[in-house]
Amino acid sequence: MTGSIRPSGPTEAGLRTGEDTGAVALVRAAQEVAGLAPDLGWSEASGLVEALLDGIAHVLADAADGRAEPRPQPVVVGAIGAPDRLPDHAGCRAAAGRLRSLARSLETHPARWAGDTASIMTDLGDLLDRVADRTRSGALSRADKGVVLRRLHSLGRRLREALPAHPGQDVR
């Protein structure tokens, strides 16, 4: 057999096993976060969560690239106006656990914006757990909806504040 000997194991984003396992973990975390889609039962809340997850996935990808600062974030606007339904208890629990677990891979990144994003991931996980806890006792009230939406808007603001400002990216 002739040819070069390649290291065994998966490669992602051009990285071979052993070259930079931290970057590979961040790439995998970005892919996983992008695939999370917990249904909070309200289109507004679910849309805001999807927008937060999209922003977090971009931050994870930029951290994997070793960037000194993240690239400009795309503006994502969630859906509004669909009828309310019961939240997906299991989806919220699963997403909450994964967010807290994946936040650990970002906490060790040297950039301040990465640590702030890890904190936002943990807080979003806590919020999703609270939604799941409240749904166990029945349907959520309009007061619950207001609290959840305010917390999601606050997390979105925190994410925007954690990232460096880019011209034309000021969304309020």
Side-chain angles (χ1 to χ4, degrees), residues 7-165:
S8 62
T11 62
E12 292 200 28
L15 299 172
R16 300 218 186 278
T17 303
E19 284 183 20
D20 189 357
T21 56
V24 171
L26 289 170
V27 168
R28 288 182 180 154
Q31 292 169 341
E32 190 170 347
V33 165
L36 295 176
D39 183 0
L40 277 66
W42 311 297
S43 60
E44 298 94 335
S46 294
L48 287 170
V49 168
E50 288 177 22
L52 274 168
L53 293 173
D54 186 61
I56 290 167
H58 282 275
V59 170
L60 286 162
D62 289 341
D65 283 346
R67 293 181 175 273
E69 68 177 46
R71 292 172 286 192
Q73 293 283 317
V75 178
V76 180
V77 179
I80 58 171
D84 291 349
R85 59 200 171 282
L86 289 176
D88 176 14
H89 168 79
C92 288
R93 280 271 188 241
R98 289 310 300 151
L99 282 168
R100 281 193 290 272
S101 176
L102 295 171
R104 283 181 280 226
S105 63
L106 196 55
E107 288 173 338
T108 59
H109 195 278
R112 181 195 58 79
W113 50 267
D116 292 346
T117 302
S119 172
I120 292 165
M121 291 170 71
T122 301
D123 291 347
L124 179 56
D126 292 344
L127 178 61
L128 293 174
D129 266 340
R130 285 190 193 101
V131 169
D133 287 341
R134 298 282 295 175
T135 60
R136 294 184 78 153
S137 61
L140 297 172
S141 69
R142 289 200 176 272
D144 292 319
K145 181 179 182 179
V147 169
V148 169
L149 289 173
R150 279 191 299 278
R151 297 268 323 271
L152 289 171
H153 280 291
S154 172
L155 290 171
R157 243 185 337 275
R158 283 178 51 201
L159 182 61
R160 286 190 305 274
E161 289 168 0
L163 304 177

